[in-house]
């Protein structure tokens, strides 16, 4: 049983699901319409009131999660927390309230998970376009069957559009036209990537999409579908209401009224720019994608593994060498006995990617690699995971002052030791197995190696002396014992 929690700009939502054959059966859902995106002040900081509301919501979600026997939980945060300047202040309290780490995902990762959720409910192997209008961003994804071919995240969502064009809930024809034009300007450069001949059907996955579809079908607007004719009918009705507080449509929840006007403007812009005739609403998206992603990880089909290997292949890294580095580093980490497996997979992938910076330059390649790992689009990875991997790759050689702050985390420090020693033995061309050495890290680092290695490979002594210096600079002793 898995749980997915989505910290969106409009609402916080929770799904608890169980894998059942070819489907993911939803057992429990919850939603809090807290509109976090509207809680950003003029400087881009979350207000104290917004953070308080969010933490209260997360505490309620925690009480729900605690009643289920869950195998894995993933909490993802999207646009608002992605852009909030004080997210680092908010996250510790938020994580304490929900009881799980919160992953700030990129717009591209959000799009990947949305598409995964949609594709899981569609059996046909069609070419499709998936649209998701969120509170802070809009994702457009092109794919065929389960495979994604193109994903873009646009920084236009219902919350900023509402604040900019429909302040205080006032709805006018002029404001609506301006909102559509503004959204079209965001999408126009991407039009060639999503030409109509590249897909056969378009789907809308967000709650805003479903609310618009319900308003059209339950109020007899247009042709009953999400077509431009129907959207025009809904637009006229909203303008007649004149204010979000006056919106009275069959099936329309009160908390949806504030976002439906701006969401409609964005949808009209999407359909006009991408020449979409009809959008089909679908009851699947980000949370369903997260649940399926957790299931795949549990069955050892982790998208992150594929991403790491695709990345090293893209830059023509020596795959055998990369694999060897990753395996030795992982084995050394096992000897160091970390408190949990937080860094186990991240260290392995860091080992795979430690030399991707060679594509830029042989000089300082670890710095180039660190930048690439942190900033690349690596499907499946969160921003936090890429930052950890970037720091590990950066720490693979040279001084350790650049990661001194992170070394206070003893498990991170053990991962750094494991990677540096693995690469040290590789540089010295020594084939080493875990049984060949003794390695511990308590107050300091203790390494026992065979004396013959130093005799047969003179550079080992040099590398060991350098390691002692580097660790000494950050206040950690490095002891080496030679055995027969």
């Amino acid at each position: 049983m898995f749980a997915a929690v989505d910290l969106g700009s409009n609402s916080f939502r929770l799904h608890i699901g169980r894998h059942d054959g070819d489907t993911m059966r939803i057992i429990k859902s919850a939603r809090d319409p807290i509109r976090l995106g509207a809680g950003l002040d003029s400087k881009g900081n979350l207000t104290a009131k917004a953070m308080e509301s969010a933490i209260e919501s997360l505490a309620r979600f925690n009480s729900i999660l605690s009643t289920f026997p869950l195998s894995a939980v993933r909490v993802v945060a999207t646009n608002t927390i992605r852009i909030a300047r004080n997210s680092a202040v908010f996250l510790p309290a938020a994580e304490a309230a929900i009881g799980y780490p919160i992953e700030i995902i990129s717009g591209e990762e959000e799009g990947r998970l949305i598409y995964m959720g949609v594709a899981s409910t569609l059996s046909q192997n069609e070419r499709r376009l998936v649209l998701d209008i969120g509170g802070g961003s809009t994702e457009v994804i092109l794919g065929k069957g389960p495979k994604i071919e193109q994903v873009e995240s646009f920084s236009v969502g219902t919350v900023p559009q509402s604040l900019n064009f429909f302040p205080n809930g006032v709805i006018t024809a002029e404001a609506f036209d301006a909102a559509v034009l503004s959204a079209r300007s965001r999408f126009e450069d991407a039009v060639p990537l999503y030409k109509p001949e590249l897909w056969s059907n378009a789907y809308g996955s967000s709650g805003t999409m479903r609310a618009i579809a319900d308003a059209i079908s339950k109020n007899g607007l247009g042709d009953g579908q999400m077509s431009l004719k129907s959207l025009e009918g809904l637009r006229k009705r909203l303008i007649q209401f004149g204010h979000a507080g006056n919106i009275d449509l069959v099936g329309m929840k009160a908390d949806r009224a504030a976002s439906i006007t701006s969401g409609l403007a964005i949808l009209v812009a999407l359909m006009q720019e991408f020449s979409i005739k009809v959008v089909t609403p679908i009851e699947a998206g980000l949370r369903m994608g997260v649940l399926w992603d957790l299931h795949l990880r549990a069955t050892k089909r982790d998208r992150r593994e594929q991403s790491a290997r695709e990345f090293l292949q893209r830059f023509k890294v020596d795959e055998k060498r990369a694999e060897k580095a990753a395996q030795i580093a992982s084995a050394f980490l096992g000897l160091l006995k970390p408190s949990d497996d937080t860094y186990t997979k991240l260290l392995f992938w860091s080992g795979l990617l430690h030399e991707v910076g060679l594509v830029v330059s042989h000089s300082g390649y670890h710095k180039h690699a660190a930048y690439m790992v942190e900033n690349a689009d690596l499907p499946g990875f969160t921003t936090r995971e890429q930052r950890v991997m970037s720091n590990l790759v950066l720490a693979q050689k040279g001084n350790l002052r650049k990661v001194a702050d992170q070394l206070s985390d003893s498990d991170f420090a053990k991962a750094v030791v494991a990677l540096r020693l693995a690469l040290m033995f590789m540089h010295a061309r020594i084939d080493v197995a875990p049984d060949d050495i003794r390695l511990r890290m308590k107050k300091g680092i203790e390494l026992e190696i065979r004396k013959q290695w130093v005799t047969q490979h003179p550079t080992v002594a040099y590398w060991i002396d350098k390691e002692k210096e580097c660790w000494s600079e950050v206040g950690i002793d490095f002891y080496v014992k030679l055995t027969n």
Side-chain angles (χ1 to χ4, degrees):
M1 194 179 299
F2 306 107
V5 182
D6 165 19
L7 310 186
S9 301
N10 263 330
S11 59
F12 286 4
R13 304 190 67 162
L14 174 153
H15 269 5
I16 295 175
R18 177 187 288 118
H19 183 250
D20 184 7
D22 294 330
T23 65
M24 186 67 68
R25 192 176 304 280
I26 303 303
I27 297 169
K28 175 70 177 179
S29 292
R31 175 176 177 264
D32 266 351
I34 64 171
R35 299 195 77 223
L36 190 68
L40 290 172
D41 64 20
S42 59
K43 295 182 179 179
N45 291 308
L46 288 168
T47 64
K49 183 178 180 180
M51 289 191 285
E52 181 181 354
S53 297
I55 289 168
E56 289 175 356
S57 172
L58 293 174
R60 287 191 292 272
F61 281 6
N62 176 268
S63 65
I64 296 172
L65 294 171
S66 64
T67 62
F68 291 86
L70 300 170
S71 301
V73 177
R74 190 175 180 192
V75 186
V76 297
T78 57
N79 186 262
T80 294
I81 299 178
R82 213 158 44 221
I83 65 174
R85 297 182 62 183
N86 61 341
S87 60
V89 175
F90 168 69
L91 283 176
E95 290 181 334
I98 189 69
Y100 295 93
I102 295 174
E103 304 174 1
I104 302 176
I105 57 175
S106 67
E108 291 73 22
E109 173 67 0
E110 185 177 354
R112 183 188 75 86
L113 292 168
I114 288 167
Y115 187 88
M116 182 182 290
V118 171
S120 71
T121 64
L122 299 172
S123 58
Q124 60 265 44
N125 197 36
E126 65 184 354
R127 297 187 67 85
R128 62 178 71 102
L129 189 67
V130 175
L131 314 170
D132 188 282
I133 300 172
S137 63
T138 294
E139 280 67 46
V140 180
I141 314 104
L142 175 70
K144 180 181 180 182
K147 185 179 179 181
I148 295 173
E149 297 181 352
Q150 182 72 34
V151 56
E152 296 285 336
S153 181
F154 301 91
S155 57
V156 54
T158 61
V159 174
Q161 289 295 93
S162 181
L163 294 173
N164 291 333
F165 297 97
F166 309 102
N168 301 315
V170 177
I171 305 169
T172 66
E174 293 77 16
F176 193 93
D177 291 344
V180 171
L181 190 61
S182 170
R184 289 189 67 169
S185 72
R186 303 292 186 94
F187 303 134
E188 60 184 355
D189 286 345
V191 169
L193 301 174
Y194 301 97
K195 294 180 291 186
E197 54 265 34
L198 297 176
W199 47 270
S200 56
N201 291 301
Y203 298 92
S205 69
S206 60
T208 296
M209 293 280 200
R210 293 189 289 274
I212 291 172
D214 281 348
I216 289 170
S217 63
K218 294 179 180 179
N219 293 274
L221 300 175
D223 56 16
Q225 305 179 87
M226 278 212 292
S227 63
L228 282 172
K229 179 180 179 181
S230 299
L231 299 187
E232 176 60 22
L234 179 56
R235 170 186 175 277
K236 289 180 179 178
R237 288 291 299 275
L238 294 176
I239 292 171
Q240 288 172 357
F241 287 124
H243 193 281
N246 298 332
I247 295 176
D248 183 18
L249 293 169
V250 178
M252 175 65 65
K253 294 180 180 178
D255 61 30
R256 287 288 188 195
S259 63
I260 191 171
T261 306
S262 53
L264 178 62
I266 295 170
L267 181 54
V268 169
L270 283 166
M271 295 183 72
Q272 290 178 343
E273 281 298 308
F274 296 111
S275 302
I276 303 169
K277 293 181 179 180
V278 177
V279 174
T280 301
I282 192 163
E283 285 284 345
L286 178 59
R287 290 170 302 287
M288 184 64 78
V290 171
L291 291 175
W292 275 105
D293 201 46
L294 287 173
H295 169 69
L296 291 174
R297 291 184 183 187
T299 54
K300 302 189 185 303
R301 289 177 287 170
D302 197 326
R303 182 65 177 91
R304 294 172 297 177
E305 177 76 18
Q306 182 183 346
S307 290
R309 293 188 181 277
E310 288 174 349
F311 197 64
L312 65 88
Q313 289 166 4
R314 186 188 315 168
F315 295 107
K316 296 179 171 52
V317 173
D318 184 330
E319 292 185 51
K320 288 185 178 179
R321 181 178 169 84
E323 182 77 31
K324 184 175 181 180
Q327 289 181 351
I328 296 174
S330 296
F332 285 178
L333 182 62
L335 294 176
L336 290 164
K337 298 179 180 178
S339 61
D340 57 39
D341 62 357
T342 298
Y343 296 103
T344 303
K345 287 187 175 181
L346 297 179
L347 173 62
F348 183 84
W349 293 319
S350 299
L352 285 181
L353 302 178
H354 79 280
E355 289 184 332
V356 293
L358 289 171
V359 73
V360 179
S361 171
H362 282 255
S363 174
Y365 70 84
H366 61 302
K367 298 176 184 178
H368 303 309
Y371 177 85
M372 292 166 69
V373 169
E374 181 169 1
N375 294 282
D377 178 14
L378 293 174
F381 286 99
T382 65
T383 303
R384 179 182 295 183
E385 288 171 335
Q386 288 186 224
R387 188 175 300 117
V388 169
M389 290 164 57
S390 173
N391 284 327
L392 286 171
V393 170
L394 183 63
Q396 68 178 279
K397 60 180 290 189
N399 75 75
L400 288 160
R401 295 187 300 274
K402 54 197 175 232
V403 293
D405 292 342
Q406 287 77 39
L407 293 175
S408 59
D409 178 346
S410 62
D411 283 352
F412 177 83
K414 289 176 180 179
V416 172
V417 171
L419 183 59
R420 287 174 72 97
L421 290 183
L423 299 181
M424 180 185 78
F425 285 119
M426 284 183 59
H427 287 153
R429 294 187 293 278
I430 299 175
D431 289 325
V432 60
D435 293 341
D436 294 331
I437 69 170
R438 289 188 63 193
L439 181 61
R440 296 194 308 169
M441 186 175 183
K442 291 185 177 180
K443 292 183 179 179
I445 304 164
E446 300 175 21
L447 173 66
E448 289 187 19
I449 61 173
R450 295 178 182 177
K451 185 184 297 183
Q452 68 184 56
W453 290 352
V454 177
T455 304
Q456 295 172 357
H457 304 273
T459 60
V460 170
Y462 168 80
W463 288 116
I464 287 174
D465 287 342
K466 294 293 290 184
E467 280 302 290
K468 287 181 178 179
E469 290 176 16
C470 290
W471 287 102
S472 177
E473 287 177 351
V474 292
I476 298 175
D477 293 323
F478 191 112
Y479 305 100
V480 178
K481 181 179 179 181
L482 302 180
T483 61
N484 293 319

